[in-house]
Amino acid sequence: MKNQTKAIHTPFRRRDAYDALSMPVYNAVAFEFDDAATMSDAFCNRIDAPDYSRVENPTVTYLEHKVKTLTGASYVGAFNSGMAAISNTMMAVAEQGCNIVTSKHLFGNTFSLLTNTLARFGVEARLCDLTNIDEVSQSVDGNTCCIFLEIITNPQLEVADLRALAEVAHRNHIPLIADSTVIPFTETSLHELGVDIEVVSSTKYLSGGATSLGGLVIDYGTTPGFYERVALEMLFNFGAYMTPQVAYMQTLGLETLDARYRVQSSNALNLARRLRELPQIKYVNYAGLEEHPYYELAQRQFGKTAGAMMTIDLESREACFRFINRLKLIRRATNLFDNKSLAIHPASTIFGNFPEETIREMDVRQTTIRLSIGLEDVDDLYDDIKQALE
């Protein structure tokens, strides 16, 4: 079956008592067992049965099972946000005295997690240019626990060569971990490109209309000990498991993901091409444009679509604020890949509490506006942007 069909027709792991077509929301904390031995087997992971909803719930495990079916992963863990997925993954692979080789081109809170929070626990973030494989190779040493990146960076839209990074990682017996939020896992197989572990903010494409917060850890089983660490230690000890209500909404969102993504990515490419012609816009940054510096690499790695995020640059920060204030259809809001199109000024919001020098080093410009493209008619989006500029 193709992915779209799998997303709709993946069977329940157990037959529902009332033969519901949609997995019910199990608003239950505890589950009864027939005898003490079965209870012990469930708690010790010897049988596949829910024991306590802080670590396993039927509604959540069904979402995990669907994602496993779609990706071919050996383990999928559902967490209560994208940041929870990232932080639990990092805590599973890192320990005091080790280092994480990564980029300065990261989402603001991810950058803060690696450079501030984990630093207090003795973990070093080694920032290098991930598009320079020689520099990456020189940054990795015997204490490196992983190479971590975003497959298309937010908001710089940089794309690194995953096969080349995987070769460095695997030569040094460490995992390549990728935040793949910008391109849905239904569109490309990152594991075939060498990625060992994916982290995804399911708040974005999966939830559809921004209905719920969630995150996924997708493990392809190529990192010894990782499953035991994240599933049997981090999940239990940090308590960041997804709730059944969120899992239900995101399971429904997953069923329409392919259809929605096709419209959003098509809208983004169409709009990016048209915005290049507007004189008030100094630069349109979208990996699907033929002149983009990473266009060919993105096409090889992710296929013919390039996601639904782009940035535009105006003449000044003040011009950006005026533009955002004049928008009538596009919403002034954070988040990505909502059904509605969204606009934000990253330097003053997502990175607003960072020192100005750090913002410059991260290549986040004061002249940049990030656009998340939704499901509206592309002509209406273009007209709104045009009137806001004029």
Side-chain angles (χ1 to χ4, degrees):
M1 291 189 295
K2 304 298 184 184
N3 276 346
Q4 175 60 24
T5 308
K6 289 179 183 178
I8 296 173
H9 290 286
T10 300
F12 299 166
R13 293 159 74 186
R14 296 185 182 184
R15 182 171 178 172
D16 178 68
Y18 296 95
D19 290 326
L21 287 179
S22 293
M23 170 60 72
V25 180
Y26 281 87
N27 275 319
V29 172
F31 304 88
E32 188 174 14
F33 298 92
D34 291 336
D35 51 61
T38 306
M39 181 184 290
S40 174
D41 287 342
F43 270 77
C44 296
N45 210 38
R46 290 188 290 269
I47 62 172
D48 183 14
D51 48 25
Y52 189 59
S53 278
R54 182 167 58 80
V55 292
E56 187 170 355
N57 175 280
T59 312
V60 184
T61 57
Y62 181 56
L63 173 62
E64 294 170 336
H65 180 52
K66 274 202 172 189
V67 176
K68 280 182 64 177
T69 301
L70 288 164
T71 60
S74 63
Y75 164 75
V76 173
F79 292 82
N80 57 24
S81 71
M83 282 307 305
I86 294 171
S87 58
N88 277 260
T89 296
M90 292 298 109
M91 292 297 286
V93 300
E95 60 185 32
Q96 186 177 19
C98 77
N99 64 75
I100 297 168
V101 171
T102 187
S103 167
K104 63 183 178 181
H105 294 164
L106 293 171
F107 172 68
N109 290 115
T110 306
F111 184 84
S112 179
L113 168 71
L114 299 182
T115 60
N116 295 326
T117 307
L118 291 182
R120 294 203 300 271
F121 293 88
V123 177
E124 177 192 359
R126 291 191 173 174
L127 307 179
C128 65
D129 180 1
L130 295 185
T131 67
N132 184 331
I133 299 303
D134 289 337
E135 186 177 335
V136 175
S137 298
Q138 293 168 10
S139 299
V140 173
D141 62 20
N143 293 322
T144 304
C145 65
C146 70
I147 299 174
F148 174 77
L149 79 160
E150 298 171 5
I151 61 169
I152 299 181
T153 64
N154 175 14
Q156 302 87 356
L157 280 84
E158 174 186 273
V159 181
D161 188 328
L162 294 176
R163 289 189 188 277
L165 291 175
E167 195 279 326
V168 175
H170 299 159
R171 186 172 67 238
N172 289 277
H173 309 291
I174 57 174
L176 177 62
I177 303 176
D179 184 334
S180 60
T181 299
V182 174
I183 302 288
F185 49 74
T186 53
E187 291 299 307
T188 183
S189 174
L190 296 189
H191 182 50
E192 292 181 0
L193 298 173
V195 172
D196 300 289
I197 300 161
E198 288 183 55
V199 291
V200 181
S201 174
S202 56
T203 308
K204 309 302 191 293
Y205 287 120
L206 261 71
S207 76
T211 61
S212 49
L213 288 167
L216 298 170
V217 176
I218 303 173
D219 172 28
Y220 292 102
T222 52
T223 306
F226 178 77
Y227 165 76
E228 289 78 9
R229 275 281 185 92
V230 74
L232 305 179
E233 182 182 341
M234 302 304 145
L235 184 61
F236 280 72
N237 295 349
F238 288 153
Y241 195 48
M242 183 180 282
T243 66
Q245 295 87 351
V246 166
Y248 175 78
M249 288 185 283
Q250 297 198 354
T251 298
L252 294 180
L254 186 56
E255 292 183 358
T256 62
L257 169 59
D258 184 72
R260 288 184 286 104
Y261 177 72
R262 294 295 168 186
V263 175
Q264 287 179 273
S265 59
S266 175
N267 277 353
L269 178 58
N270 186 324
L271 193 61
R273 287 173 172 167
R274 294 168 70 176
L275 294 181
R276 293 179 302 182
E277 308 304 319
L278 297 178
Q280 302 94 326
I281 296 178
K282 307 305 178 184
Y283 179 54
V284 178
N285 189 10
Y286 180 62
L289 293 174
E290 293 81 356
E291 67 269 21
H292 193 275
Y294 300 107
Y295 171 77
E296 291 185 1
L297 179 59
Q299 293 279 299
R300 289 200 307 271
Q301 295 188 153
F302 313 130
K304 296 186 181 301
T305 63
M309 177 180 70
M310 70 175 70
T311 66
I312 59 174
D313 275 71
L314 305 183
E315 62 182 359
S316 65
R317 174 186 169 115
E318 293 71 26
C320 291
F321 276 44
R322 288 195 300 269
F323 168 80
I324 290 173
N325 291 343
R326 290 172 180 164
L327 289 171
K328 297 178 179 179
L329 176 63
I330 298 173
R331 306 301 180 93
R332 292 174 285 273
T334 190
N335 197 23
L336 287 169
F337 317 134
D338 190 338
N339 293 343
K340 303 176 183 67
S341 293
L342 311 174
I344 195 169
H345 182 252
S348 65
T349 53
I350 298 167
F351 301 90
N353 291 321
F354 285 38
E356 183 62 34
E357 181 180 353
T358 302
I359 295 175
R360 285 196 301 269
E361 290 173 351
M362 296 175 76
D363 296 321
V364 178
R365 297 184 294 272
Q366 295 291 340
T367 56
T368 298
I369 295 165
R370 189 187 75 184
L371 297 173
S372 171
I373 307 305
L375 297 173
E376 302 94 342
D377 187 283
V378 70
D379 290 339
D380 293 331
L381 295 174
Y382 176 78
D383 289 343
D384 191 37
I385 291 172
K386 189 175 180 181
Q387 68 82 23
L389 290 169
E390 293 173 348

